[in-house]
Amino acid sequence: MFSARSLFQEIVDNDESYRLFCSIAASGESQGGWENGRIAALLPASQRALAPKVTRHGADEDKHGRIFNALLRKRGLTPADVPEETDYTMLLERRGIGLAHDKLRRDEPLTELDIITYLAHSRVTEQRAADQMEMLKAYFGDHPEVGKAVRMISHDEDNHLAYCHEELLRLARAGHGRTIQRILRDCALAEIGVYRDVSLAVMDHMGRILEWPAAKAGVLAAGIRAMSGYERLGGWRRMVSLRMPERRDALGGPASSAPEFA
């Protein structure tokens, strides 16, 4: 029987599946960098104090995109086209989650509600990212090719999650608690469906590249659907709870560089 560790090892060991994995990751991180950069530029006057943290968030996401592209270059690979059905960020936007790119392209200040929406969306998606990187760190934290990248990105994602908790709690104390909880719940339930669909699509592409037998592909798909069902029944609550993080002011300084991945 295969395990999550062996599954990821199989993807990393094959050039084409590794190329697709890194390309999907790089694309998503780069989109996140652009979004945060635009949000930082459009913050309303009441939230201008957030500008350095939002900028830092975007710089981290850009850095992650560069790291995944550097991993491709180190193996002599070029980025692959990202299949539309695996584009997590785009599919979330289509479900009305987060701030629409059309709004971010305008040179109009955002509202305080927009900032709550951005932070709630980030709290949910950063939970997913932090969980994924924690799993990859457990499996590949010491891997000679990807270990350093995994550890660095995992540390950043934990910082991003801490930042979202702290800022949402600040806004809740300012009287926005009910709005925050409503948006968090809507984001979490939509994200669960998008993550399920993207996971199924990614595994379908990987299965074809790696020529998985139908039985293996079927078990993986069933596992993805079962996890989604659990999250929809009650697991979503871990994505909407708020607590003061141990890492206070996690994005209060400049973004760390990654010269070894340049």
Side-chain angles (χ1 to χ4, degrees), residues 12-204:
V12 169
D13 287 346
N14 179 280
D15 279 353
E16 278 306 303
S17 55
Y18 181 76
R19 179 177 179 236
L20 180 60
F21 174 81
C22 288
S23 297
I24 291 171
S27 174
E29 298 286 358
S30 296
Q31 286 185 67
W34 177 83
E35 289 172 0
N36 279 277
R38 290 302 298 155
I39 290 166
L42 301 174
L43 284 167
S46 64
Q47 299 298 324
R48 287 306 301 170
L50 271 179
K53 296 180 181 182
V54 181
T55 300
R56 161 78 183 275
H57 192 178
D60 282 346
E61 303 287 7
D62 281 335
K63 178 184 70 178
H64 299 168
R66 293 194 302 273
I67 287 172
F68 281 114
N69 281 318
L71 290 174
L72 287 173
R73 287 195 302 273
K74 285 183 177 180
R75 201 182 279 195
L77 302 172
T78 57
D81 291 334
V82 175
E84 187 173 301
E85 64 272 18
T86 69
D87 192 331
Y88 174 78
T89 304
M90 179 193 70
L91 293 173
L92 282 173
E93 184 186 0
R94 286 183 179 174
R95 291 283 295 268
I97 300 304
L99 298 180
H101 284 188
D102 283 348
K103 174 174 284 194
L104 296 181
R105 290 189 184 99
R106 300 184 209 129
D107 288 323
E108 300 173 6
L110 299 172
T111 66
E112 198 160 86
L113 179 58
D114 288 331
I115 301 310
I116 292 170
T117 299
Y118 148 67
L119 286 166
H121 165 257
S122 296
R123 187 265 176 269
V124 169
T125 56
E126 293 295 346
Q127 181 73 61
R128 183 72 71 186
D131 290 348
Q132 287 180 322
M133 295 312 302
E134 188 64 29
M135 178 182 64
L136 287 175
K137 187 171 69 172
Y139 298 154
F140 293 104
D142 296 325
H143 191 278
E145 185 176 10
V146 302
K148 186 180 291 185
V150 165
R151 293 193 306 273
M152 182 178 292
I153 295 171
S154 180
H155 177 267
D156 288 347
E157 300 297 7
D158 288 344
N159 279 344
H160 299 168
L161 186 57
Y163 148 74
C164 293
H165 276 271
E166 189 169 7
E167 295 304 329
L168 284 169
L169 285 169
R170 175 181 64 82
L171 288 163
R173 289 194 298 273
H176 299 290
R178 288 183 181 276
T179 300
I180 289 168
Q181 283 301 318
R182 174 180 56 79
I183 296 174
L184 279 172
R185 186 179 186 278
D186 290 346
C187 281
L189 292 175
E191 191 278 344
I192 288 166
V194 169
Y195 182 72
R196 176 201 61 214
D197 293 346
V198 168
S199 297
L200 289 169
V202 170
M203 287 300 106
D204 181 60

